[in-house]
Every structure is written in C-alpha cells, then in structure tokens.
Amino acid sequence: MIGRFEIAQQRQLLALLLVLSASHAPAAQVISPAPEIFAPGVISTAAHEAAPAFTRDGNTVYFQRSSAVQSTILVSHRASEGWSQPEIAPFSGQWNDMEPTMAPDGKSLIFISDRPVQSGGKAIKSYFQGNEHIGGNLWRIRRTDSGWNPPEHLSAVVNFNTTIFAPSVVADGSLYFMSWNTQTNHFQLYRSQYRDGVFSAPVPPSFSDGQYSDVDPAVAPDESFMVFGSGRVPKRSMDLFIVFKQNGAWGEPIWMGDTVNSPGSDAEPRLSPDLKTLYFSSERTLPIAFPRSPEQAKADLARLQSWDNGNYNIWTVPLKPWIDAHSGSQSLNARAPKY
C-alpha cells in the first residue's frame, strides 16, 4: 500500500484484505469542500504519487513517485508560474525510497528505504501474508548550510523489523509510523518518544489496537490531532479519519466523510506547514459524461494520459472545517508551529 510492497499493486491487494473489524467510527458532521488535484501533469502525473513533504516556507516539496517495481523521492520548487518539473532528490534514486516527511523545524527529513543497512549489503525485504515484499526502514537526513547530510539509519528501537513505513515527526522529535502486527495480520500505528537524542520503545496509540489496519499517520506538531488511513468501518476501501487529543488522550477517530473519501483508496495524508491544508493520495478520477463531443473526448484522453487514470494522485482539501467542528479546539494559527 501507498507505494510500498510492490507499490500500487500491493495497495489494491491490501484493500481487499481489510474486510474486518467491527469498531464503528463516528459519522462525519462536517461540510467539506471537494478535494482538488495538486499540480496536475507536473507533480500529479500518470504514475503513482504520494507523500508530499514541504519545507517550512512551503516553496519546496519532496514527494514519492512510483510504479509496481520502483519508488523514488523527487523534489520540486514553487515559482511564479507554478511548480517546477520534479527532479530526483539528491539522497534518492539508488534504492527504493518513499514517504518523505519533514520535521516541523525543517532541519531534518525522515524517509523510508529498502537500502541495505550495512554498506555493500542487499536491499532489505519484508515478509507478511506469506509473501515477500519491498522492505522498509526509517532513515534520516539532516540539513546543513551546504545541503543535506548523507542518510543515517535510525536505531533498531524504531527499526525493529523490515516492515516499517509512513513516518511522521512531531515538534519534540518523537516519531509516529506504521508496522505490521504479526498477531492480528493488520497494520498498526506506533509512537516512539524522542528524548536526549534517543528513541524509546514504540507504543501504539490507544485507538490503534491492531484489530483493523491503521496506516499513514500525519500528526500535528503539538500532537493535538492526527489524520490517518484506516480499514475500519465505515470504510469502502481505505479511508481517511481524523482523531483529536482530549485531556492528553486520543479520542475516537472520526470518518472524514464521502466528500473527502472516494469509493476507492484514499490514504497517505500529509499536513501543510501551516496546518491549513490536508494533502492526501487518492485513486479517484474526474467524472466523464457520455455521450461526449469529439473535443471533449480529446480533452478526456489528454487528461488520462497526463494524470487522470486511476493511479494515486495527490489531492488537497482545507483542514479548517474539521478543526472548527471539533469542540473546544484551538485555531489552526494557534496549532501551527512557530520557530
């Protein structure tokens, strides 16, 4: 799923495995605008795109482009005329790299890779559901005045197996991610506290108990809320949920409704640096009306060849309706990190 384990094909397979769980999420009570495609034909293309990670000023984005056999992290820059044509990020390309996430202070970036842990070794592999898949471990790069330092493999405390994906970093450096629960055969979310340069043993958040697959945590820097993907009810495939902290404890996940969620897979959420926008990946396509004119057929075909073909593309939707609907929530401006 989400550009991992043979990338797009495996996400479709995993969606079929999510018929479980009886835990019901509260129904969405939010009027949300329809999602919009992000940079069609430039960042969202005919390939499979996911996981945009923005610099603090929002003018540079790292993201994943992948197929069933490869995954690479690309970088694009905002200019007056729009986003630049993406290029391979300087730390990516040799191995399967995916799911970049920027630390809130912009000084480091964590991503997933199957690259060997030891120099000269082989790419790591993941094993679950009786099959071998592209493996995943957490790697970090740190920003310097001259660019990015070489990637460093995070400790075995967080890389406790080869099925680690979807990192999210919060303000104190603590790390959220997902991994396979071999007891329940579902993905589960985890949090590892970071203190004095050391990660502690990962612990699942209270709402993610492994009884259904929870994936792709996108956590506010102050940990006041999280958007994630899940196969829990009332999912149709993989859907997006939002959950808030209440008195220091996570509340009940809220389904983000059938405007944000499509009948297909919706996952890989990411938060903009100012927390005003939710980015996510979706299999949705634009509706086509038949019969159509020759001109409309040409336009539909051009869009299909550019991006609108049912592969994952990156979409955006405002977060404000969800924050405002949460009783007692702070404003987005109060939640946004300040450095």
Side-chain angles (χ1 to χ4, degrees), residues 27-277:
Q29 300 294 327
V30 174
I31 298 176
S32 175
E36 296 181 356
I37 188 69
F38 177 51
V42 179
I43 291 177
S44 293
T45 70
H48 173 111
E49 286 92 18
F54 293 88
T55 52
R56 286 176 54 202
D57 61 9
N59 291 330
T60 297
V61 61
Y62 296 85
F63 67 99
Q64 163 193 332
R65 180 168 290 163
S66 54
S67 72
V69 295
Q70 63 170 309
S71 183
T72 306
I73 294 174
L74 306 183
V75 59
S76 175
H77 306 281
R78 193 200 306 265
S80 57
E81 64 275 13
W83 290 95
S84 67
Q85 282 298 323
E87 299 178 347
I88 297 175
F91 55 88
S92 187
Q94 187 175 7
W95 303 96
N96 280 300
D97 302 322
M98 59 192 78
E99 300 178 327
T101 186
M102 192 74 66
D105 62 7
K107 296 179 180 179
S108 63
L109 179 148
I110 291 178
F111 65 101
I112 297 299
S113 182
D114 71 344
R115 62 187 63 197
V117 176
Q118 302 297 330
S119 178
K122 296 182 179 180
I124 65 172
K125 298 294 183 180
S126 173
Y127 302 90
F128 62 92
Q129 288 289 348
N131 294 309
E132 179 183 276
H133 308 275
I134 293 173
N137 263 188
L138 295 155
W139 294 75
R140 177 168 54 199
I141 54 174
R142 299 180 188 271
R143 187 183 294 280
T144 68
D145 293 339
S146 58
W148 294 107
N149 277 346
E152 57 185 273
H153 186 249
L154 296 188
S155 74
V157 173
V158 289
N159 282 318
F160 57 86
N161 61 38
T162 57
T163 312
I164 306 291
F165 297 101
S168 183
V169 190
V170 297
D172 69 355
S174 297
L175 190 61
Y176 287 78
F177 57 90
M178 60 181 266
S179 187
W180 187 255
N181 184 321
T182 58
Q183 301 301 311
T184 63
N185 288 330
H186 303 306
F187 278 103
Q188 189 169 4
L189 304 184
Y190 292 87
R191 180 189 186 276
S192 177
Q193 176 67 47
Y194 187 71
R195 184 176 291 114
D196 299 327
V198 177
F199 287 104
S200 63
V203 177
S206 57
F207 62 85
S208 185
D209 59 8
Q211 297 307 304
Y212 28 74
S213 275
D214 293 332
V215 300
D216 307 335
V219 190
D222 65 356
E223 299 181 79
S224 56
F225 71 93
M226 176 197 309
V227 180
F228 66 103
S230 184
R232 63 184 66 206
V233 173
K235 62 93 183 174
R236 282 78 53 84
S237 176
M238 180 66 73
D239 277 1
L240 294 174
F241 292 74
I242 189 168
V243 60
F244 293 89
K245 266 201 175 169
Q246 302 168 334
N247 300 318
W250 290 110
E252 186 73 11
I254 301 167
W255 182 56
M256 295 190 76
D258 55 11
T259 299
V260 173
N261 290 300
S262 69
S265 179
D266 301 278
E268 290 279 13
R270 295 293 187 273
L271 309 177
S272 64
D274 62 6
L275 304 184
K276 293 181 179 180
T277 304

Side-chain angles (χ1 to χ4, degrees), residues 283-335:
E283 295 174 337
R284 72 190 65 206
T285 59
L286 295 184
I288 296 177
F290 293 96
R292 57 188 177 178
S293 67
E295 292 74 18
Q296 187 59 55
K298 290 179 182 178
D300 291 342
L301 180 60
R303 193 176 65 248
L304 180 154
Q305 293 171 327
S306 176
W307 67 271
D308 191 19
N309 60 4
N311 279 341
Y312 260 9
N313 289 128
I314 299 173
W315 295 74
T316 73
V317 71
L319 266 173
K320 189 175 188 297
W322 300 93
I323 305 299
D324 289 349
H326 178 61
S327 176
S329 67
Q330 299 174 318
S331 70
L332 283 172
N333 288 334
R335 295 173 185 271

